[in-house]
Amino acid sequence: MKALVFHGPGQTAWQDVPDPGIKDAADAVVRVDAVTICGTDLHIIKGDVPEVTPGRVLGHEAVGTVVETGGDVRSVRPGDRVLISCITSCGRCRFCREGHYGQCRGGGGWVLGHTIDGTQAEYVNVPFADLSVHPLPSAVDSYDAVLLADIFPTSYEVGVLNGKVQPGDTVVVVGAGPIGLAAIATAQLYSPGRIIAVDRAESRLAAARALGADATASADEEPDQLVEDLTDGLGADVVMEAVGVPEAFEMCTRMVRPGGHVANIGVHGKPATLHLEDLWMKDVTLTTGLVDTYSTPMLLKMMAAGRLPAASLVTHRFELGQMEEAYEVFSRAAETGALKVVLGGPQHNAVTVQTPGK
Ligand SMILES: [Zn+2]
Ligand SMILES: [Zn+2]
């Protein structure tokens, strides 16, 4: 089969690799019908995630059709259409028993496209299938559902819930890429008073406004000042970091009000400065986290009910074999206007390439 293989920093190829097979009785092999590229994949290719070794098939977000299951798998059968979560769960370790699947110590957690071969391929082997895939209701489109593999649960759990968004809050989202936009969408489940989005790209700020941001600022036009002006000098109740660079994180810690929350969602590859000389007396709560995906069943219900604006986050569609082209478009998001790019296998009909920057 074909797959997108990492060959060290700056190097990947869409190439032939051996087909995956069942290695453990809890595994399922899934044919990939829709798959997307994540900002995290770009961090891996930059060399920010050193556990990813050359030869690894990348990708941790997909929807597909089960083609084979191990003897212990009970909840899915060949032919079932499933969401492959970015987090797999052994179900037995201390963290899985507490619902912290992202911290699984039993061989799960974020493993796909990280420590085992991932979803940017024609087929993928999913370990602990009973606990790591979600059968999809027929009302949910595969190209929408792929956004539930990572970006919606991540922005909701690590941003909105960790940040403890409350009714009436002023919420700032720094970084209006797919994760930041999904945070803007899911923060509204808690009726914040005002959402402010910060980004460098005007196309992303326009997308933020379309999804419900009340005010936006380019990163170059003193967003700190905007937050100060809009909050009578107090700062924001909740600030989410959805970029993963030191400047963005440090900006978030300047924008938070005394007693407020800074929720880091971004994947960081470099140290950021924690300015304790300013923060020590502000009663600020700072959270970090990898998604656990405990919210995925709830988000799936909301999507089936038409309550999640998933489709508006997909700007480009490709055929699966156009993986390298899709990476090219996604990695030049500032010029192409790309938010999420979704690729479909040949069995999926929706393979037209849309106009960028909608
Ligand atoms: Zn991802
Ligand atoms: Zn576990």
Side-chain angles (χ1 to χ4, degrees), residues 2-239:
K2 295 278 192 195
L4 197 275
V5 180
F6 175 69
H7 289 288
Q11 295 167 32
T12 55
W14 178 249
Q15 65 180 69
D16 286 311
V17 297
D19 286 352
I22 299 288
K23 294 181 202 129
D24 182 276
D27 291 353
V29 174
V30 180
R31 183 192 71 204
V32 173
D33 298 337
V35 58
T36 179
I37 304 169
C38 184
T40 304
D41 298 319
L42 301 185
H43 281 285
I44 292 170
I45 294 170
K46 259 168 75 182
D48 284 349
V49 189
E51 314 87 84
V52 181
T53 49
R56 179 68 58 232
V57 174
L58 297 184
H60 51 265
E61 305 171 55
V63 167
T65 304
V66 176
V67 293
E68 193 183 353
T69 54
D72 288 350
V73 176
R74 294 284 175 272
S75 63
V76 290
R77 287 279 171 273
D80 287 353
R81 194 170 62 111
V82 294
L83 168 68
I84 301 171
S85 176
C86 67
I87 299 295
T88 61
S89 161
C90 82
R92 298 191 184 97
C93 74
R94 171 238 168 125
F95 291 102
C96 285
R97 297 293 293 264
E98 293 174 351
H100 291 296
Y101 313 118
Q103 303 300 326
C104 177
R105 288 296 184 271
W110 173 35
V111 292
L112 288 169
H114 184 205
T115 55
I116 64 170
D117 286 341
T119 58
Q120 288 166 6
E122 291 177 310
Y123 294 89
V124 57
N125 184 31
V126 182
F128 308 115
D130 276 329
L131 296 154
S132 310
V133 302
H134 301 261
L136 284 173
S138 56
V140 172
D141 181 82
S142 296
Y143 275 53
D144 290 344
V146 74
L147 302 187
L148 293 182
D150 180 353
I151 73 158
F152 271 100
T154 294
S155 56
Y156 180 65
E157 294 176 17
V158 185
V160 176
L161 295 183
N162 283 0
K164 296 207 169 12
V165 177
Q166 301 291 311
D169 276 357
T170 293
V171 175
V172 179
V173 178
V174 176
I179 286 281
L181 292 171
I184 289 168
T186 51
Q188 289 165 68
L189 300 173
Y190 292 87
S191 302
R194 178 195 288 125
I195 300 176
I196 304 166
V198 179
D199 201 281
R200 292 194 180 284
E202 179 47 40
S203 61
R204 292 186 164 200
L205 294 178
R209 287 189 290 273
L211 280 164
D214 303 284
T216 56
S218 158
D220 310 318
E221 351 169 282
E222 302 191 7
D224 301 51
Q225 192 61 48
L226 174 70
V227 172
E228 212 178 299
D229 292 348
L230 290 174
T231 58
D232 297 326
L234 202 58
D237 301 288
V238 182
V239 189

